[in-house]
Amino acid sequence: MSRSGEMAGRMAERAPSGWAALAAMLAVSVSSTALAQTTPVTAAPAPTAQTESVLLEADELIDDQEARTITAQGDVQVRYQGRTMRADRLVYDLNTGAIRASGNVQIVLEDGSVTYAEEIEADEAMNVGAASELRARLGDSSTLAARQALRHGEGESELRNVIYTSCPICESGDRPPTWSLRARRAVQDRESRTISYQGAVLEIVGVPVLYIPYFAHPDPTVGRASGFLPPDVGRNRRLGTFYEQPYYWAISPSQDLTASLRLHGNVNPLIGLDYRKRFWSGEMSIETTFTEEQLFDDDGDRFGDELFRFSAFGEGRFELNNYWDWGFGLERAYDDQYLRRYDIDGAGERRGPYVGQETRLLSQLFAIGQSENSYSSIAAISFQGLRTQDTSDLLPLILPFAETEFVINEPVLDGQVRLQANTALLSREDNPGTGIFEGSTGRASVSATWRRDAIFGPGMVFSPFAQARADAYQIEVSEDRYETFTRGLGLAGAEVSWPFMRPGERFDLIVEPVVMASVASDDPQAPLNINEDSLAFELDDSNLFRPNAAPNYDLWEPGARVSAGVRATARAHSGESASLIFGRRWRDEQAPGFSPTTNLDGENTDWVAAGQVDLGANFGAEGRIRLEDETLDVQRVDLAVRAAAGRYSTYVRYYSVDEAIQNNPLDPNREISAHIGVDLARGWRVQAGLTRDLDSDINLLQDIRAIYEDDCTFLEISYTRRETQLGSIGPDEGLQIRIGLRSLGVFGGS
C-alpha cells in the first residue's frame, strides 16, 4: 500500500491512456440544461496531452500487477478541468480500459450542479457508459432521478425509469412534489440532435393526470429546431369543439415560421401563419390567419356566401442611421366581426408611434428621428373601423402626417425657443348618403414658441411665454374643387406660481397657487376651418394652465383667458403621498367650434379637480371630477380605489358622465367595475371581477378565477362571460384552464 500522491504520480507515468479515460469518465455527468430535459449530454472528449493533469486523492491505492487493475478506496476524489468526482471506491482495469466508480458516487460540474449515483461505468474512450440509481440536483433546485443511464456508443444516450421535477423535495419523504414527470425511457440521438420520450406520465401531487405515449423535442444544445408545438384544445358555442396544432419551422438562425391548423366542430378549419425575421438593422414579424367560410352566428349556424376571409397583424422596426429609424405596423381583418367570430387576439396592441383600438384597426408606415435637441417623424396611416358606423368618409387615409421640432440650445432673451413644423394630408371618399360632401383636406403649419422661467420676490415663479404660428389649408369643397386659405395666429402671456412649503417631522406640505393669463389672436378663418385633429378632448386638470387649451392644430382658442387654481402635495418621510389640483378658466368671449363636451364652449368653464392618495400597498385612490360652474352639479366623475387588508384585496372604479357632454352617445353614461381577491391556504387564491353598465343594467364583463401558485407550479381556472352584442355576434362565455410548470412551460385551453 502507498499514499495516494506517490502512487498517482507513478501511475500517470506507466499508463497515461488510462488516466485519460479516468478524466473522460467525469463526462458521464449531465449539464443543468440537459437534466432539465431528462437526458444525458454527449461526453466530453478525453484529454490527449500529457499536460492535462488529473488529480487523484484516496485513503488507499492498490496496484494489482497480476490482475492489471488499479483500485482507489476510501474518500476517493478525482479532479479534472473544474469537475470533481467523489466515490467510496474506484477500479481501473488496465486490460480493458474499463473504469468503475461505486459507493456514494458524486460528480460536481463547473456550474455547481451535482449528480449522484450508486455506480458508474465507462471505458477509456467513453464509447459505452453506464450509471445506476442516478440522481441529480440542479442549480435551479430541479431534481432528476433514473434507475439506469446508458451510452450506446457515440451516437445515443439513454435514461430508464426517469422522474424529473423542478419542485422542492420534502426531505422527510411524506409528501410528494406538486408535480413530477415520469418516463419509462428517454433517448438522446446526437446525430439528429433530438430527445424522445416513451411512456411519459405527468403526476400532480403524486396522482397521474396525463399520459403521453410518445413525444420528442430538439436537443438542448440545438437552441432552435423545427417540430410540433403543444396543441390547444377547447370548446365554445360558436366554433364547437376545436383542436389547434402548431408546427414550428426554424428556417435559419435569423428567421422562423409557425404554422397552425385549427379544426372546428361547427365550421371550416382556420389556418394561421406567424413569420419572424431578424436583420442587421432590426426585425419584423407578420401574423396571419385565413379560412374559406360563410358567416355564422352565436350558435355556429352558417349563412351567406362561402368566401375567403383573413386577418393580418404585423410590425417591424429598422435603423437607418444614428438619427433615423423606420418601421411599419399592420392591422387588417376581412370584416367587422372576423376577429371576434374566431377569437383572434391582436387588435389594440402597440405596433408603432400610433396605437389602434379593439374596434378600430390602424396600419402605419413611419420614420422617426431623434437627437438631444430635435425630434422628427413622418407617417402614413390607414384605419379600418370594426363598428357599423365606421365608413370611409369618417375614417380617412392620412398620407402623410409629418412633424419636426427643434430646440435652440442658446438662450434667446434668457429663455428657450422651440421651432416646430407640422403637415397633414387626409384623403377620403365622399358618402352621398350623408347629404354633406366629405372631401380631402391638407394642412401645413410652422410655429415658434418662447418661454422663460424666473424667480423673483418671496419665492414666486414668473414664466412669460409667446407663440407665433402660420397655417396653410387646402379643402376639397366639392368633387375636384378645392379652396385654399392661410391664417396667422399668435398668443402671449405669463404664468405665475407661488409655492409655499411647510416641512414637518413626519411629512412635508407644499401648497402652490397658480395663475395663467394670456391673450390670443382671433381665428380669421374659423367659419371655413374643419376640425380633423381635435375631435375628442376637454379642459381638465391636465391642460388647465396651457395657454391654448385646444390640442393639435385645427382648433384655436381666441381672445383673452385666465386660469386660476391651486396645487397641493403632501409627502410623508416614510413614502406615502397625496396630491390635489383644483381650478377653472375664464374667457372674455365664446369661441366658435368648441362644443359643450370640450368645457370651452362658454365664457366660464366648469370647475375641474383631480386628486391622488398613495398610502402604500394597503390603500390608494385617484379621481377626477368636473363640476358645473354655477350649480356645482357633477358633470363628470372618474374615481378608482384600491385597498388590501390581510388576505383580502379589492379594486373599484366608478365612472359617470352627463349625457350633454358625452363624446360617444353609444358608450355607457355610468359604469362601475370591481375586482375582489381572497388569499386562501396553501397557495390558493380566488379573484372575482365585474364590469356593469349602470344605465342599461347589463354586465359588460364578469369573471371568476381560482389560482394556485407555488415555487414550481401555476394553475388558473377561470370563467368569463360578456353580454355585449356586435352585429350577429352576441353574448358569449368561456372556461379556461392554464397550467404552468417551471422549466416545462405553460399549457392552456379555453
Side-chain angles (χ1 to χ4, degrees):
M1 298 183 188
S2 304
R3 297 298 301 168
S4 61
E6 301 169 350
M7 197 64 184
R10 290 194 297 271
M11 186 60 194
E13 295 174 1
R14 292 172 55 187
S17 62
W19 288 111
L22 181 64
M25 184 184 64
L26 293 176
V28 80
S29 62
V30 293
S31 68
S32 60
T33 303
L35 283 171
Q37 303 295 335
T38 67
T39 185
V41 165
T42 305
T48 56
Q50 296 283 342
T51 57
E52 296 188 44
S53 60
V54 177
L55 176 62
L56 170 65
E57 296 181 1
D59 293 338
E60 183 179 31
L61 281 180
I62 301 173
D63 185 359
D64 190 334
Q65 298 287 344
E66 184 176 350
R68 291 185 56 77
T69 61
I70 297 174
T71 303
Q73 299 182 144
D75 194 19
V76 180
Q77 294 191 32
V78 182
R79 296 187 180 91
Y80 172 70
Q81 290 187 348
R83 299 181 176 184
T84 301
M85 186 189 74
R86 300 182 179 91
D88 294 339
R89 190 169 186 268
L90 184 147
V91 178
Y92 171 61
D93 191 326
L94 295 174
N95 294 317
T96 63
I99 302 169
R100 173 178 293 182
S102 60
N104 299 312
V105 181
Q106 298 182 25
I107 298 179
V108 183
L109 301 183
E110 300 91 326
D111 62 0
S113 301
V114 184
T115 301
Y116 305 88
E118 289 299 320
E119 188 173 77
I120 289 180
E121 297 181 5
D123 69 1
E124 63 180 7
M126 287 301 293
N127 288 325
V128 176
S132 62
E133 300 300 331
L134 182 71
R135 303 178 307 279
R137 294 285 293 176
L138 309 184
D140 62 354
S141 300
S142 298
T143 304
L144 174 140
R147 289 290 184 188
Q148 200 172 29
L150 302 172
R151 292 187 69 251
H152 303 299
E154 291 294 333
E156 188 176 272
S157 297
E158 176 185 359
L159 289 177
R160 296 179 179 175
N161 296 328
V162 183
I163 181 172
Y164 170 76
T165 182
S166 61
C167 300
I169 302 299
C170 181
E171 296 182 0
S172 62
D174 58 353
R175 186 165 63 90
T178 305
W179 69 267
S180 59
L181 182 67
R182 293 180 180 270
R184 177 170 51 84
R185 185 170 180 261
V187 177
Q188 177 189 28
D189 189 327
R190 275 173 289 279
E191 293 183 1
S192 63
R193 304 179 75 181
T194 60
I195 301 174
S196 60
Y197 299 84
Q198 297 178 3
V201 177
L202 177 65
E203 296 184 351
I204 304 296
V205 196
V207 179
V209 297
L210 180 64
Y211 173 74
I212 306 175
Y214 175 86
F215 72 97
H217 63 77
D219 186 293
T221 61
V222 175
R224 297 167 61 253
S226 303
F228 288 100
L229 300 178
D232 184 15
V233 182
R235 177 179 175 80
N236 64 36
R237 191 169 63 177
R238 293 191 308 275
L239 304 175
T241 302
F242 64 84
Y243 176 90
E244 182 175 8
Q245 178 61 65
Y247 179 84
Y248 176 79
W249 178 21
I251 302 174
S252 71
S254 62
Q255 59 182 327
D256 56 41
L257 174 69
T258 301
S260 63
L261 174 64
R262 192 206 289 178
L263 304 175
H264 310 101
N266 294 343
V267 296
N268 289 340
L270 182 75
I271 297 175
L273 297 175
D274 185 359
Y275 175 76
R276 302 183 302 174
K277 183 173 177 59
R278 288 176 178 257
F279 302 85
W280 288 108
S281 60
E283 58 184 354
M284 62 168 286
S285 65
I286 302 290
E287 183 176 357
T288 65
T289 66
F290 53 90
T291 185
E292 187 165 352
E293 181 56 285
Q294 300 172 269
L295 299 176
F296 53 90
D297 58 18
D298 291 342
D299 298 319
D301 295 331
R302 291 179 279 189
F303 56 91
D305 297 330
E306 187 172 286
L307 301 173
F308 178 82
R309 307 174 191 275
F310 70 92
S311 69
F313 296 97
E315 60 182 307
R317 186 144 187 178
F318 308 90
E319 180 180 352
L320 289 175
N321 51 42
N322 292 334
Y323 185 81
W324 284 101
D325 290 349
W326 78 274
F328 69 89
L330 172 65
E331 297 180 353
R332 273 294 181 270
Y334 177 81
D335 56 43
D336 295 350
Q337 302 175 33
Y338 178 87
L339 301 179
R340 187 172 180 181
R341 189 182 299 121
Y342 287 96
D343 292 331
I344 297 174
D345 298 327
E349 297 181 5
R350 176 174 290 277
R351 295 183 169 88
Y354 309 99
V355 182
Q357 303 172 354
E358 291 189 358
T359 57
R360 184 165 293 176
L361 305 183
L362 184 152
S363 298
Q364 54 191 306
L365 178 66
F366 61 88
I368 297 176
Q370 191 167 5
S371 66
E372 293 182 354
N373 63 332
S374 68
Y375 174 85
S376 302
S377 70
I378 182 171
I381 305 171
S382 173
F383 299 94
Q384 180 185 2
L386 302 184
R387 297 180 294 188
T388 55
Q389 65 268 32
D390 293 332
T391 58
S392 59
D393 61 297
L394 177 66
L395 302 176
L397 172 67
I398 304 178
L399 187 68
F401 178 80
E403 60 182 338
T404 184
E405 179 175 337
F406 180 78
V407 178
I408 298 177
N409 292 326
E410 298 297 326
V412 177
L413 300 177
D414 294 329
Q416 184 184 78
V417 173
R418 293 175 177 267
L419 304 178
Q420 294 174 305
N422 183 284
T423 185
L425 177 61
L426 281 63
S427 177
R428 57 164 52 91
E429 297 180 3
D430 178 51
N431 182 2
T434 62
I436 301 175
F437 182 80
E438 297 103 351
S440 302
T441 61
R443 175 190 49 78
S445 303
V446 293
S447 65
T449 304
W450 174 85
R451 183 184 175 98
R452 177 189 177 189
D453 295 324
I455 300 177
F456 72 99
M460 301 179 69
V461 181
F462 178 67
S463 302
F465 52 80
Q467 181 185 38
R469 197 176 92 197
D471 300 328
Y473 281 86
Q474 186 178 64
I475 300 176
E476 186 180 13
V477 295
S478 62
E479 188 173 357
D480 297 330
R481 190 171 71 86
Y482 294 86
E483 289 189 4
T484 301
F485 65 88
T486 60
R487 63 177 180 178
L489 305 171
L491 61 82
E495 179 181 306
V496 180
S497 61
W498 193 358
F500 296 89
M501 181 174 180
R502 181 185 180 278
E505 295 182 359
R506 301 179 59 183
F507 65 91
D508 300 330
L509 178 63
I510 302 175
V511 178
E512 183 182 13
V514 183
V515 176
M516 188 283 302
S518 66
V519 59
S521 63
D522 291 334
D523 183 355
Q525 303 292 341
L528 298 176
N529 198 21
I530 297 178
N531 180 16
E532 298 277 11
D533 61 9
S534 305
L535 296 175
F537 83 97
E538 67 176 292
L539 181 79
D540 57 14
D541 58 287
S542 64
N543 57 0
L544 175 62
F545 299 107
R546 283 187 53 182
N548 177 29
N552 301 318
Y553 291 87
D554 287 345
L555 281 186
W556 175 260
E557 185 184 7
R561 78 293 310 262
V562 175
S563 292
V566 60
R567 293 190 288 244
T569 304
R571 291 190 178 91
H573 299 167
S574 54
E576 295 85 356
S577 65
S579 63
L580 174 68
I581 181 172
F582 179 78
R584 68 178 299 187
R585 196 179 188 104
W586 292 267
R587 301 175 40 78
D588 69 337
E589 62 181 81
Q590 291 187 351
F594 290 86
S595 67
T597 302
T598 66
N599 197 14
L600 285 172
D601 58 313
E603 296 182 0
N604 302 325
T605 69
D606 293 337
W607 295 92
V608 295
Q612 175 266 339
V613 176
D614 184 1
L615 301 183
N618 292 328
F619 184 81
E622 60 180 354
R624 286 179 169 84
I625 193 170
R626 173 176 165 182
L627 304 176
E628 206 274 333
D629 63 331
E630 295 181 356
T631 64
L632 299 183
D633 292 337
V634 175
Q635 301 293 295
R636 182 192 297 270
V637 61
D638 189 350
L639 177 64
V641 178
R642 61 171 177 83
R647 296 181 300 168
Y648 301 91
S649 61
T650 183
Y651 174 83
V652 180
R653 180 177 182 263
Y654 173 76
Y655 175 82
S656 176
V657 58
D658 189 275
E659 294 183 2
I661 63 171
Q662 189 175 13
N663 279 314
N664 188 351
L666 299 179
D667 292 338
N669 292 335
R670 295 184 303 137
E671 183 178 293
I672 187 170
S673 59
H675 299 272
I676 300 175
V678 181
D679 293 333
L680 305 176
R682 299 179 64 87
W684 283 96
R685 67 180 185 271
V686 177
Q687 297 177 348
L690 174 68
T691 300
R692 185 173 181 82
D693 182 349
L694 298 178
D695 288 327
S696 59
D697 290 332
I698 293 177
N699 292 332
L700 303 177
L701 174 65
Q702 51 187 322
D703 66 271
I704 184 169
R705 303 170 187 270
I707 301 172
Y708 173 81
E709 190 171 10
D710 60 20
D711 293 338
C712 62
T713 310
F714 174 82
L715 169 65
E716 181 184 43
I717 305 173
S718 64
Y719 168 80
T720 304
R721 179 172 178 82
R722 292 178 173 86
E723 300 288 351
T724 54
Q725 181 81 29
L726 180 61
S728 61
I729 304 299
D732 60 359
E733 58 185 348
L735 179 67
Q736 183 178 40
I737 300 176
R738 294 175 46 213
I739 302 174
L741 307 179
R742 189 176 66 180
S743 78
L744 292 187
V746 177
F747 306 87
S750 57

